[in-house]
Amino acid sequence: MNYVKIARIAFKNDAGMWTKLQLNGRRKQSYSGWISQARLFYTNLMADEPAMAKISEFGVTAEKLQAGMDLVLAVEDQLARLKQESGEAQDATKARDKAVDVLQDWYSDFRAIARIALQGRPQFLEMLGITEPS
């Protein structure tokens, strides 16, 4: 954001650069929007030699801009990894829920059959963890 502020000062009379670097308005609040704006800012600024000469008057070097771009790319990579892990967790939860449903169906049948097979032997039912109301 500091480089955006400096660019707004450096290019205060250059409407074309304001458009090219998207210096108008507020920064996007969503991660994807912010990343898109930041990538465009760094890419367009570093590709424009006259703009680089102008902004270097304010102490902003190509190395500093590249370091900023590297941080944006690192954030983008981390967000992609987070989305992937979130998707994997959702898949695992769905698989677990499905397995629990299958197990619950089987256990329900098991309890019913055990009650029939062990009719009159409540102590055996208790050994299986099936309690009968008294």
Side-chain angles (χ1 to χ4, degrees):
M1 197 57 206
N2 285 335
Y3 295 140
V4 170
K5 291 176 184 176
I6 293 170
R8 286 177 176 160
I9 295 166
F11 304 113
K12 67 182 172 190
N13 297 321
D14 189 344
M17 283 306 293
W18 273 66
T19 302
K20 186 176 183 179
L21 301 178
Q22 290 186 351
L23 298 175
N24 289 330
R26 300 178 61 96
R27 301 293 90 195
K28 303 280 184 185
Q29 296 299 311
S30 68
Y31 286 122
S32 60
W34 175 83
I35 288 170
S36 174
Q37 273 186 323
R39 289 183 95 197
L40 183 122
F41 173 80
Y42 285 114
T43 301
N44 288 348
L45 183 55
M46 289 189 292
D48 189 324
E49 288 184 35
M52 285 298 297
K54 180 71 175 172
I55 203 162
S56 68
E57 296 172 11
F58 295 87
V60 179
T61 64
E63 291 79 22
K64 289 179 180 179
L65 289 174
Q66 186 59 52
M69 178 67 142
D70 291 344
L71 288 174
V72 170
L73 295 175
V75 168
E76 187 175 32
D77 288 344
Q78 288 297 324
L79 286 173
R81 192 170 298 124
L82 180 65
K83 284 182 182 179
Q84 179 183 359
E85 289 173 0
S86 176
E88 289 171 358
Q90 288 175 354
D91 290 344
T93 299
K94 287 178 185 175
R96 180 208 62 204
D97 290 348
K98 186 177 179 180
V100 166
D101 288 344
V102 168
L103 181 62
Q104 234 165 355
D105 285 344
W106 177 87
Y107 186 65
S108 177
D109 292 344
F110 171 79
R111 288 174 49 131
I113 294 296
R115 281 193 175 106
I116 294 168
L118 300 174
Q119 209 169 24
R121 295 183 169 172
Q123 68 276 12
F124 288 152
L125 286 174
E126 285 181 23
M127 289 171 58
L128 293 174
I130 302 171
T131 56
E132 290 293 317
S134 311

